[in-house]
């Protein structure tokens, strides 16, 4: 019976799949042995990685069956799989998974993967996978199912990213990997790295024991064939990380317990996939492939048609596609060249800006402030950061010297004359920003772009004193500057297309994702967060417990509760943001006198000696209680959750009606990249649709159909 006949639902389903074909040729090894080499190739150029959809797997399965038969007949001595140039495979083809017609069809996909890739295990002849390029998810699992693996030192990435996307490694990864490299290493690859959006380099894969040998790209295939010939001739393959009895009985349970506790602390319990992966890894301790694969099948059968996976794919598409083609961006050809950057201010934020512009743009950067000592200290701080990067091996000595030479400081505004791009990093006060721009503008050419990093002030008002307000743009970074991937690019009514195009080009050159917003209070991220944090403070001031407020927002899946987030952004900053929004929208945003007093006292959270949060400080509880009005009514956690959800749905609908951004997708992109809104929630608007808040507030949904798994 053909493999496709074993999976009738998948075989009958209609997919828009780019099929990765399995091309076979026999290779005569130096020893005289014959190796059947299967090359995976989707026939597209290097911009389209090979992926593994149902049709691809059916063809690969038939090909492997044929080569196994040849091995049993003595026609070939080994079977190997490799990929087209630059790619082994980028994993399962997820483009159609969200549209699987029903749960039964979804349940066939993991079983098909196990059926096909499992043909590499216990074949009548040894099996090899030559990882010649990118190997993600199912691509890496092809290798794990084989007997031996080599890897090219030029492969850009190796990873099992499934838990980040709401899945588990389900074609053997969660079962085989722990038994190959040990529990702690496997937890890093399967759980820790995906949640931190990290991948392995080839040297990492070799050191961890995922690959048995590594060769350079110029002769990778030839070297891999020669190495395979040696293995077939009896050469020993050392695998020091394969777990022994002691690890399985003692270390395995302890490592899993720590992993669960760490997950709960870091991401809460809303995300399902990481915990399902831990369940499979726990079962893998018995090294029973049949039981482990059955557990992987069961996990994926539940997760693939679930809301979180469908939402994750939506979020993934936003980051991979929409972020690269920003809505409302003018013609990129209008962008002006940026050959020198000026930064107004010499504080920590200005230093972060300078280092980022230096590293990404590789152009001269000059900073200014009122005091020469402050400027000199900032330049020294930036150069120390450059030296630290060199010390860690992240930049070369030549680059270290070049970047250090590109940074300079001055108190003479005339030194900004050659700057094409000037950005301020001064106090968040309208008058201060207006003044520094008024002082700088006379020294600039008429083509220079002026950018403000304001997080809440009106960009238009900041430019009110400029002679050329058309060259002013908002360029709102998120902290820490080097890490956070989002920039909100704010267009005022006066901003011209050339200025906006330049801002978008600069954001791209800084390797950031840019979303264009209208000039409104809080733009996108801070307006949504102001709603969340404002509702949290209002609730405790009305008598709800801090614990109930935390519980009310737990369903959102944020990695931290609202009060930890408030402490992180800073109590004074939080109070200022709430004041700004209350001033702009007094009927929807609350002022918080309690928060102002907390900010003055510098009190909110109780922490231990290591800085770990233990809870709300008792003094903070007393301050909040003091501001509680007579007759205040506390809401339950469930009532609070509904109130917050409805408030968010209302505010976001208003933002869209007011054209703050072009679409709900842009709101979601901002919240994912700028606020850490979890991937498995799919952004904020799909979540509000799924919980019914959109319907309750405006009688519709942000997305049609809603971003959710099939209900049947």
């Amino acid at each position: 019976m053909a493999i496709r006949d074993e999976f009738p639902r998948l075989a009958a389903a209609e997919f828009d799949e780019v099929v990765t074909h399995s091309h076979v040729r026999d290779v005569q090894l130096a020893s005289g042995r014959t190796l059947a080499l299967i090359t995976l190739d989707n026939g597209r150029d290097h911009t389209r990685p090979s992926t593994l959809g149902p049709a691809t797997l059916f063809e690969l399965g038939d090909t492997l069956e044929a080569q196994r038969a040849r091995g049993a007949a003595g026609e070939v001595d080994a079977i190997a799989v490799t990929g087209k140039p630059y790619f082994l495979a980028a994993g399962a083809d997820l483009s159609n998974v969200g549209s699987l017609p029903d749960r039964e069809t979804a349940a066939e996909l993991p079983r098909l993967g196990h059926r096909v890739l499992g043909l590499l295990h216990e074949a009548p002849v040894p099996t090899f996978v030559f990882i010649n390029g990118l190997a993600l998810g199912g691509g890496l699992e092809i290798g794990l199912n084989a007997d031996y693996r080599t890897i090219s030192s030029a492969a850009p990435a190796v990873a099992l990213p499934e838990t980040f996307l709401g899945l588990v490694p389900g074609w053997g990864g969660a079962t085989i990997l722990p038994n190959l490299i040990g529990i702690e290493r496997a937890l890093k690859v399967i759980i820790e790295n995906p949640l931190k959006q990290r991948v392995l380099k080839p040297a990492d894969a070799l050191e961890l024991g995922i690959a048995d040998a590594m060769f350079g790209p110029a002769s990778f295939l030839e070297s891999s064939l020669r190495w395979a010939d040696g293995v077939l001739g009896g050469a020993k393959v050392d695998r020091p990380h394969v777990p022994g009895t002691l690890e399985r009985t003692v270390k395995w349970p302890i490592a899993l317990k720590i992993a669960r506790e760490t997950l709960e602390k870091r991401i809460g319990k809303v995300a399902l996939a990481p915990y399902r992966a831990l369940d499979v890894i726990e079962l893998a301790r018995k090294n029973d492939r049949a039981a482990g694969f059955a557990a992987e099948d069961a996990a994926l059968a539940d997760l693939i048609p679930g809301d979180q996976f469908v939402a994750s794919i939506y979020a993934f598409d936003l980051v991979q596609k929409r972020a690269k083609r920003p809505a409302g961006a003018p013609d990129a050809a209008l962008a002006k060249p940026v050959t020198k950057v000026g930064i107004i201010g010499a504080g920590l934020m200005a230093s972060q800006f300078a280092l980022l512009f230096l590293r990404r743009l590789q152009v001269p950067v000059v900073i200014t402030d009122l005091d020469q000592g402050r400027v000199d200290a900032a330049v020294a701080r930036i150069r120390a950061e450059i030296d630290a990067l060199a010390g860690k091996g992240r930049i070369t000595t030549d680059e270290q010297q070049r970047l250090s030479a590109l940074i300079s400081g001055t108190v003479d505004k005339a030194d900004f004359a050659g700057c094409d791009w000037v950005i301020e990093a001064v106090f968040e006060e309208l008058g201060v920003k207006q003044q520094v721009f008024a002082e700088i503008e006379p020294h600039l050419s008429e083509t220079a772009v002026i950018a403000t990093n304001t997080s809440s002030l009106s960009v238009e008002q900041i430019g009110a004193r400029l002679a050329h307000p058309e060259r002013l743009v908002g360029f709102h970074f998120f902290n820490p500057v080097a890490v956070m991937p989002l920039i909100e690019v704010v267009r005022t009514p006066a901003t011209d297309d050339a200025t906006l195009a330049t801002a978008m080009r600069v954001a791209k050159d800084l390797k950031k994702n840019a979303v264009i917003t209208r000039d409104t209070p809080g733009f996108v991220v801070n307006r949504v967060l102001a709603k969340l944090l404002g509702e949290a403070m209002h609730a405790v001031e009305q008598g709800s417990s801090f614990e109930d407020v935390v519980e009310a927002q737990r369903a959102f899946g944020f990695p931290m509760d609202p009060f930890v987030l408030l402490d992180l952004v800073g109590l004074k900053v939080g109070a200022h943001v709430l004041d700004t929004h209350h001033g702009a929208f007094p009927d929807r945003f609350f002022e918080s006198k309690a928060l102002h007093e907390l900010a003055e006292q510098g009190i909110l959270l109780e922490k231990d000696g290591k800085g770990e949060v233990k809870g709300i400080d008792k003094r903070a509880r007393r301050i909040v209680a003091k501001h509680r009005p007579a007759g205040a009514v506390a809401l339950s956690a469930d009532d609070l959750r509904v109130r917050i959800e409805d408030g968010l749905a209302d505010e976001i609908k208003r933002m869209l009606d007011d054209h703050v951004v072009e679409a709900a997708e842009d709101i979601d992109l901002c919240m994912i990249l700028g606020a850490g809104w979890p991937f498995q929630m799919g952004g904020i608007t799909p979540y509000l649709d799924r919980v019914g808040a959109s319907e309750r507030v405006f009688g519709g949904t942000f997305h049609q159909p809603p971003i959710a798994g099939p209900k049947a």
Side-chain angles (χ1 to χ4, degrees), residues 620-633:
R621 293 180 188 273
R622 288 196 292 268
I623 288 172
V624 169
K626 184 175 68 175
H627 289 277
R628 189 164 295 147
V633 178

Side-chain angles (χ1 to χ4, degrees), residues 532 535-536 539-540 542-556 562-563 633-646 687 691 696:
L532 281 167
E535 289 286 352
V540 294
Q542 293 297 308
S544 296
S545 69
F546 283 89
E547 290 72 22
D548 277 350
V549 175
V550 170
E551 183 62 32
Q553 295 197 21
R554 202 179 299 281
F556 302 159
F563 303 108
V633 178
L635 298 178
S636 68
D638 282 342
D639 288 341
L640 276 171
R641 176 183 53 76
V642 172
R643 176 188 170 87
I644 295 169
E645 289 170 351
D646 289 359
Y687 170 81
V691 298
R696 291 193 299 268

Side-chain angles (χ1 to χ4, degrees), residues 33-307:
R33 300 181 184 91
T34 301
L35 177 144
L37 180 64
I38 302 170
T39 301
L40 302 176
D41 191 340
N42 63 1
R44 303 298 178 92
D45 64 20
H46 68 281
T47 65
R48 185 67 182 262
S50 297
T51 53
L52 308 171
T56 296
L57 290 171
F58 288 141
E59 181 176 327
L60 177 59
D62 292 342
T63 302
L64 286 172
E65 290 276 35
Q67 300 315 305
R68 281 164 55 101
R70 293 181 69 206
E75 297 177 22
V76 296
D77 301 287
I79 302 168
V81 179
T82 192
K84 72 175 187 178
Y86 311 112
F87 302 103
L88 178 61
D93 181 357
L94 300 179
S95 60
N96 291 288
V97 174
S99 59
L100 286 167
D102 49 52
R103 291 176 179 268
E104 290 77 11
T105 306
E108 286 191 352
L109 190 58
R111 292 193 287 110
L112 173 62
H114 279 132
R115 174 71 172 87
V116 171
L117 303 191
L119 294 171
L120 287 163
H121 182 61
E122 294 184 349
V125 293
T127 56
F128 300 81
V129 170
F130 304 146
I131 304 172
N132 65 303
L134 185 78
L136 303 178
L140 178 56
E141 286 173 307
I142 295 174
L144 293 177
N145 277 273
D147 299 324
Y148 306 99
R149 291 154 294 281
T150 67
I151 191 167
S152 168
S153 60
V158 173
L160 293 174
E162 286 86 351
T163 54
F164 180 67
L165 295 173
L167 300 175
V168 303
W171 290 346
T175 298
I176 299 171
L177 191 64
N179 288 293
L180 178 67
I181 67 174
I183 182 62
E184 291 181 339
R185 292 175 180 82
L187 286 170
K188 178 179 180 180
V189 177
I190 297 172
I191 303 294
E192 181 182 339
N193 283 359
L195 297 182
K196 292 182 178 180
Q197 299 184 52
R198 292 178 180 171
V199 297
L200 299 173
K201 294 300 183 183
D204 302 324
L206 181 67
E207 189 279 328
L208 287 171
I210 294 173
D212 297 310
M214 182 171 71
F215 304 110
S219 58
F220 173 70
L221 182 57
E222 294 82 355
S223 298
S224 295
L225 290 168
R226 187 164 52 250
W227 182 85
D229 201 12
V231 172
L232 293 172
K236 183 181 178 182
V237 177
D238 186 30
R239 289 179 177 163
H241 303 314
V242 173
T245 303
L246 181 63
E247 176 172 337
R248 294 181 188 281
T249 56
V250 178
K251 184 184 287 188
W252 208 292
I254 294 172
L256 283 168
K257 181 176 183 294
I258 293 172
R260 289 184 189 277
E261 292 172 350
T262 302
L263 270 180
E264 290 179 10
K265 184 176 181 180
R266 182 165 176 238
I267 67 170
K269 298 181 180 180
V270 173
L272 301 175
Y275 296 100
R276 291 300 295 266
L278 287 179
D279 292 341
V280 179
I281 295 170
E282 184 173 14
L283 183 62
R285 182 167 65 95
K286 299 177 181 178
N287 201 16
D288 181 342
R289 287 201 178 195
F293 290 179
E296 291 177 1
D297 288 344
L300 287 180
D302 290 338
L303 293 171
I304 288 174
D307 289 342

Side-chain angles (χ1 to χ4, degrees), residues 571-632:
L571 301 182
K572 290 184 178 180
V573 173
H576 174 72
V577 170
L578 292 191
D579 285 348
T580 299
H581 285 81
H582 175 67
F585 313 113
D587 57 324
R588 304 194 306 277
F589 287 83
F590 302 102
E591 62 179 343
S592 177
K593 294 179 180 179
L595 181 55
H596 276 280
E597 186 170 345
L598 292 172
E600 290 169 7
Q601 299 294 325
I603 297 168
L604 180 59
L605 302 177
E606 181 184 0
K607 301 179 182 179
D608 62 20
K610 298 180 181 179
E612 296 291 328
V613 177
K614 295 173 64 177
I616 301 295
D617 192 291
K618 293 179 181 178
R619 294 168 296 174
R621 293 180 188 273
R622 288 196 292 268
I623 288 172
V624 169
K626 184 175 68 175
H627 289 277
R628 189 164 295 147

